[in-house]
Amino acid sequence: MPDILRETGRVCAAQLPAASLIRRQSSALIDRYQIESDRAWPAARAAIVKLSDPAVDAMLDSEFARPLLTTLLVPQIVGRIATRDCGTIDRMVTLLQPLPPRNTAGIVVETLRYLKSQKSRSGDIAAVAMLLCPVETR
């Protein structure tokens, strides 16, 4: 997550004001996510081994494995960001900032599960968008 936040800030830099939370390459928010990321790595590593070939275990034991995985995965995730969505992403990160990283991760996972289930029911993500009220009408 800290690398995703940093890369999103880089991708969105031209779209957001300089004071934007997501544009900060170092902050208390990123520090908290880095600490949680470091703490979660052993469990994530074990899950990757479980989901793949046991031979991967020795490769993941290297100090280079995690940075390599991050280098491969972060661009895949952040590369899907449309710059027109940078403002929304910044607002979401700002709203989630006070939460502990574990809670934020849970919210993101549950939201993605929900959106996936709605998309599979309707066949179109636009139907999910109709469930949401614009901020101005609340």
Side-chain angles (χ1 to χ4, degrees):
M1 192 69 169
D3 294 307
I4 292 170
L5 289 170
R6 284 186 198 100
E7 185 63 13
T8 300
R10 190 191 62 72
V11 167
C12 291
Q15 308 299 319
L16 298 171
S20 165
L21 177 62
I22 199 74
R23 283 192 55 185
R24 297 181 199 153
Q25 291 296 299
S26 64
S27 65
L29 174 69
I30 289 176
D31 291 345
R32 284 192 355 244
Y33 278 99
Q34 189 64 58
I35 290 166
E36 191 63 32
S37 176
D38 294 342
R39 189 176 307 151
W41 172 242
R45 183 186 165 283
I48 293 167
V49 170
K50 225 181 232 187
L51 294 172
S52 60
D53 190 291
V56 171
D57 191 23
M59 288 180 359
L60 291 178
D61 224 7
S62 163
E63 66 184 75
F64 301 107
R66 184 172 166 200
L68 177 63
L69 287 172
T70 301
T71 301
L72 294 171
L73 294 175
V74 169
Q76 293 295 317
I77 295 167
V78 177
R80 297 173 186 254
I81 294 174
T83 55
R84 69 179 177 277
D85 295 329
C86 289
T88 300
I89 293 168
D90 187 56
R91 281 189 300 283
M92 289 171 55
V93 169
T94 300
L95 290 169
L96 293 170
Q97 178 188 14
L99 295 177
R102 191 168 287 201
N103 290 57
T104 301
I107 289 170
V108 169
V109 168
E110 288 305 314
T111 300
L112 293 174
R113 284 182 184 159
Y114 175 75
L115 292 173
K116 183 179 178 183
S117 73
Q118 291 302 310
K119 184 177 179 182
S120 68
R121 284 185 203 154
S122 68
D124 184 9
I125 199 73
V128 176
M130 290 190 300
L131 299 172
L132 304 174
C133 298
V135 174
E136 297 80 34
T137 62
R138 290 187 186 163

PDB file of all heavy atoms in Angstrom, residues 1 11 13 16 35 38 44 49-51 56 67 70 89 95 112 129 138:
ATOM      1  N   MET A   1       0.797  -1.200   0.000  1.00  0.00           N
ATOM      2  CA  MET A   1       0.000   0.000   0.000  1.00  0.00           C
ATOM      3  C   MET A   1       0.849   1.280   0.000  1.00  0.00           C
ATOM      4  O   MET A   1       0.498   2.228  -0.697  1.00  0.00           O
ATOM      5  CB  MET A   1      -0.957  -0.030   1.187  1.00  0.00           C
ATOM      6  CG  MET A   1      -2.002   1.015   1.133  1.00  0.00           C
ATOM      7  SD  MET A   1      -3.177   0.705  -0.202  1.00  0.00           S
ATOM      8  CE  MET A   1      -4.408   1.864   0.196  1.00  0.00           C
ATOM      9  N   VAL A  11       1.571   9.791 -10.270  1.00  0.00           N
ATOM     10  CA  VAL A  11       0.710   9.784 -11.455  1.00  0.00           C
ATOM     11  C   VAL A  11      -0.267  10.967 -11.426  1.00  0.00           C
ATOM     12  O   VAL A  11      -0.545  11.570 -12.456  1.00  0.00           O
ATOM     13  CB  VAL A  11      -0.063   8.444 -11.548  1.00  0.00           C
ATOM     14  CG1 VAL A  11      -1.191   8.508 -12.558  1.00  0.00           C
ATOM     15  CG2 VAL A  11       0.894   7.309 -11.878  1.00  0.00           C
ATOM     16  N   ALA A  13       0.095  13.878  -9.767  1.00  0.00           N
ATOM     17  CA  ALA A  13       0.721  15.152  -9.368  1.00  0.00           C
ATOM     18  C   ALA A  13       0.219  16.342 -10.178  1.00  0.00           C
ATOM     19  O   ALA A  13      -0.052  17.407  -9.619  1.00  0.00           O
ATOM     20  CB  ALA A  13       2.239  15.051  -9.446  1.00  0.00           C
ATOM     21  N   LEU A  16      -3.546  17.461  -9.155  1.00  0.00           N
ATOM     22  CA  LEU A  16      -3.925  17.814  -7.786  1.00  0.00           C
ATOM     23  C   LEU A  16      -3.096  18.987  -7.265  1.00  0.00           C
ATOM     24  O   LEU A  16      -1.961  19.192  -7.688  1.00  0.00           O
ATOM     25  CB  LEU A  16      -3.705  16.605  -6.866  1.00  0.00           C
ATOM     26  CG  LEU A  16      -4.529  15.362  -7.190  1.00  0.00           C
ATOM     27  CD1 LEU A  16      -4.058  14.187  -6.352  1.00  0.00           C
ATOM     28  CD2 LEU A  16      -6.006  15.614  -6.975  1.00  0.00           C
ATOM     29  N   ILE A  35       4.840   0.620   8.048  1.00  0.00           N
ATOM     30  CA  ILE A  35       4.982  -0.208   9.249  1.00  0.00           C
ATOM     31  C   ILE A  35       4.060  -1.416   9.164  1.00  0.00           C
ATOM     32  O   ILE A  35       4.463  -2.551   9.414  1.00  0.00           O
ATOM     33  CB  ILE A  35       4.702   0.625  10.523  1.00  0.00           C
ATOM     34  CG1 ILE A  35       5.838   1.633  10.735  1.00  0.00           C
ATOM     35  CG2 ILE A  35       4.524  -0.266  11.748  1.00  0.00           C
ATOM     36  CD1 ILE A  35       5.525   2.716  11.755  1.00  0.00           C
ATOM     37  N   ASP A  38       5.291  -3.886   6.495  1.00  0.00           N
ATOM     38  CA  ASP A  38       6.418  -4.684   6.987  1.00  0.00           C
ATOM     39  C   ASP A  38       5.938  -5.780   7.930  1.00  0.00           C
ATOM     40  O   ASP A  38       6.416  -6.917   7.876  1.00  0.00           O
ATOM     41  CB  ASP A  38       7.439  -3.793   7.704  1.00  0.00           C
ATOM     42  CG  ASP A  38       8.122  -2.805   6.767  1.00  0.00           C
ATOM     43  OD1 ASP A  38       8.085  -3.012   5.530  1.00  0.00           O
ATOM     44  OD2 ASP A  38       8.679  -1.805   7.279  1.00  0.00           O
ATOM     45  N   ALA A  44       1.846 -12.501   4.133  1.00  0.00           N
ATOM     46  CA  ALA A  44       1.647 -12.390   2.688  1.00  0.00           C
ATOM     47  C   ALA A  44       2.565 -13.362   1.957  1.00  0.00           C
ATOM     48  O   ALA A  44       2.158 -14.032   1.006  1.00  0.00           O
ATOM     49  CB  ALA A  44       1.913 -10.954   2.227  1.00  0.00           C
ATOM     50  N   VAL A  49       3.259 -18.435  -1.156  1.00  0.00           N
ATOM     51  CA  VAL A  49       3.811 -19.794  -1.255  1.00  0.00           C
ATOM     52  C   VAL A  49       2.690 -20.815  -1.344  1.00  0.00           C
ATOM     53  O   VAL A  49       2.737 -21.740  -2.154  1.00  0.00           O
ATOM     54  CB  VAL A  49       4.752 -20.088  -0.061  1.00  0.00           C
ATOM     55  CG1 VAL A  49       5.133 -21.566  -0.016  1.00  0.00           C
ATOM     56  CG2 VAL A  49       5.989 -19.215  -0.134  1.00  0.00           C
ATOM     57  N   LYS A  50       1.665 -20.620  -0.527  1.00  0.00           N
ATOM     58  CA  LYS A  50       0.522 -21.546  -0.528  1.00  0.00           C
ATOM     59  C   LYS A  50      -0.198 -21.569  -1.875  1.00  0.00           C
ATOM     60  O   LYS A  50      -0.663 -22.609  -2.330  1.00  0.00           O
ATOM     61  CB  LYS A  50      -0.466 -21.128   0.562  1.00  0.00           C
ATOM     62  CG  LYS A  50      -0.979 -22.251   1.398  1.00  0.00           C
ATOM     63  CD  LYS A  50      -1.972 -21.728   2.416  1.00  0.00           C
ATOM     64  CE  LYS A  50      -1.554 -22.207   3.780  1.00  0.00           C
ATOM     65  NZ  LYS A  50      -2.524 -21.888   4.804  1.00  0.00           N
ATOM     66  N   LEU A  51      -0.314 -20.396  -2.488  1.00  0.00           N
ATOM     67  CA  LEU A  51      -1.034 -20.281  -3.755  1.00  0.00           C
ATOM     68  C   LEU A  51      -0.188 -20.664  -4.966  1.00  0.00           C
ATOM     69  O   LEU A  51      -0.713 -20.770  -6.070  1.00  0.00           O
ATOM     70  CB  LEU A  51      -1.540 -18.845  -3.934  1.00  0.00           C
ATOM     71  CG  LEU A  51      -2.605 -18.406  -2.940  1.00  0.00           C
ATOM     72  CD1 LEU A  51      -2.879 -16.913  -3.083  1.00  0.00           C
ATOM     73  CD2 LEU A  51      -3.881 -19.208  -3.136  1.00  0.00           C
ATOM     74  N   VAL A  56       8.754 -21.775  -4.751  1.00  0.00           N
ATOM     75  CA  VAL A  56       8.768 -20.315  -4.645  1.00  0.00           C
ATOM     76  C   VAL A  56       9.233 -19.880  -3.253  1.00  0.00           C
ATOM     77  O   VAL A  56       9.782 -18.788  -3.088  1.00  0.00           O
ATOM     78  CB  VAL A  56       7.358 -19.749  -4.963  1.00  0.00           C
ATOM     79  CG1 VAL A  56       7.263 -18.276  -4.660  1.00  0.00           C
ATOM     80  CG2 VAL A  56       7.002 -20.032  -6.397  1.00  0.00           C
ATOM     81  N   PRO A  67      10.764  -6.344  -2.844  1.00  0.00           N
ATOM     82  CA  PRO A  67      10.858  -5.197  -3.753  1.00  0.00           C
ATOM     83  C   PRO A  67      10.572  -5.573  -5.209  1.00  0.00           C
ATOM     84  O   PRO A  67       9.977  -4.790  -5.945  1.00  0.00           O
ATOM     85  CB  PRO A  67      12.305  -4.708  -3.584  1.00  0.00           C
ATOM     86  CG  PRO A  67      12.755  -5.258  -2.284  1.00  0.00           C
ATOM     87  CD  PRO A  67      11.994  -6.517  -2.063  1.00  0.00           C
ATOM     88  N   THR A  70       6.817  -5.879  -5.567  1.00  0.00           N
ATOM     89  CA  THR A  70       6.247  -4.528  -5.535  1.00  0.00           C
ATOM     90  C   THR A  70       6.466  -3.833  -6.872  1.00  0.00           C
ATOM     91  O   THR A  70       5.561  -3.205  -7.412  1.00  0.00           O
ATOM     92  CB  THR A  70       6.874  -3.721  -4.384  1.00  0.00           C
ATOM     93  OG1 THR A  70       6.616  -4.391  -3.162  1.00  0.00           O
ATOM     94  CG2 THR A  70       6.317  -2.321  -4.323  1.00  0.00           C
ATOM     95  N   ILE A  89      -9.769   9.936  -5.892  1.00  0.00           N
ATOM     96  CA  ILE A  89      -8.822   9.117  -5.131  1.00  0.00           C
ATOM     97  C   ILE A  89      -8.259   9.920  -3.969  1.00  0.00           C
ATOM     98  O   ILE A  89      -8.169   9.419  -2.840  1.00  0.00           O
ATOM     99  CB  ILE A  89      -7.699   8.595  -6.050  1.00  0.00           C
ATOM    100  CG1 ILE A  89      -8.270   7.600  -7.054  1.00  0.00           C
ATOM    101  CG2 ILE A  89      -6.567   7.963  -5.233  1.00  0.00           C
ATOM    102  CD1 ILE A  89      -7.326   7.251  -8.188  1.00  0.00           C
ATOM    103  N   LEU A  95     -10.246  10.873   3.412  1.00  0.00           N
ATOM    104  CA  LEU A  95     -11.293  10.392   4.317  1.00  0.00           C
ATOM    105  C   LEU A  95     -10.863   9.150   5.090  1.00  0.00           C
ATOM    106  O   LEU A  95     -11.252   8.962   6.250  1.00  0.00           O
ATOM    107  CB  LEU A  95     -12.573  10.090   3.530  1.00  0.00           C
ATOM    108  CG  LEU A  95     -13.312  11.307   2.981  1.00  0.00           C
ATOM    109  CD1 LEU A  95     -14.389  10.871   1.997  1.00  0.00           C
ATOM    110  CD2 LEU A  95     -13.906  12.131   4.114  1.00  0.00           C
ATOM    111  N   LEU A 112     -14.351  -3.567  -3.100  1.00  0.00           N
ATOM    112  CA  LEU A 112     -14.076  -4.267  -4.368  1.00  0.00           C
ATOM    113  C   LEU A 112     -14.934  -5.522  -4.514  1.00  0.00           C
ATOM    114  O   LEU A 112     -15.445  -5.805  -5.602  1.00  0.00           O
ATOM    115  CB  LEU A 112     -12.592  -4.606  -4.474  1.00  0.00           C
ATOM    116  CG  LEU A 112     -11.666  -3.403  -4.611  1.00  0.00           C
ATOM    117  CD1 LEU A 112     -10.208  -3.845  -4.562  1.00  0.00           C
ATOM    118  CD2 LEU A 112     -11.959  -2.626  -5.888  1.00  0.00           C
ATOM    119  N   ALA A 129     -22.925   2.482 -10.151  1.00  0.00           N
ATOM    120  CA  ALA A 129     -22.803   3.929  -9.983  1.00  0.00           C
ATOM    121  C   ALA A 129     -24.144   4.563  -9.663  1.00  0.00           C
ATOM    122  O   ALA A 129     -24.214   5.549  -8.931  1.00  0.00           O
ATOM    123  CB  ALA A 129     -22.188   4.556 -11.227  1.00  0.00           C
ATOM    124  N   ARG A 138     -26.525  15.107  -0.498  1.00  0.00           N
ATOM    125  CA  ARG A 138     -26.618  14.513   0.852  1.00  0.00           C
ATOM    126  C   ARG A 138     -26.895  15.538   1.892  1.00  0.00           C
ATOM    127  O   ARG A 138     -26.609  16.657   1.863  1.00  0.00           O
ATOM    128  CB  ARG A 138     -25.321  13.784   1.178  1.00  0.00           C
ATOM    129  CG  ARG A 138     -25.191  12.556   0.331  1.00  0.00           C
ATOM    130  CD  ARG A 138     -24.001  11.770   0.768  1.00  0.00           C
ATOM    131  NE  ARG A 138     -23.863  10.684  -0.195  1.00  0.00           N
ATOM    132  CZ  ARG A 138     -22.808   9.976  -0.352  1.00  0.00           C
ATOM    133  NH1 ARG A 138     -21.761  10.177   0.384  1.00  0.00           N
ATOM    134  NH2 ARG A 138     -22.748   9.022  -1.217  1.00  0.00           N
TER     135      ARG A 138
END
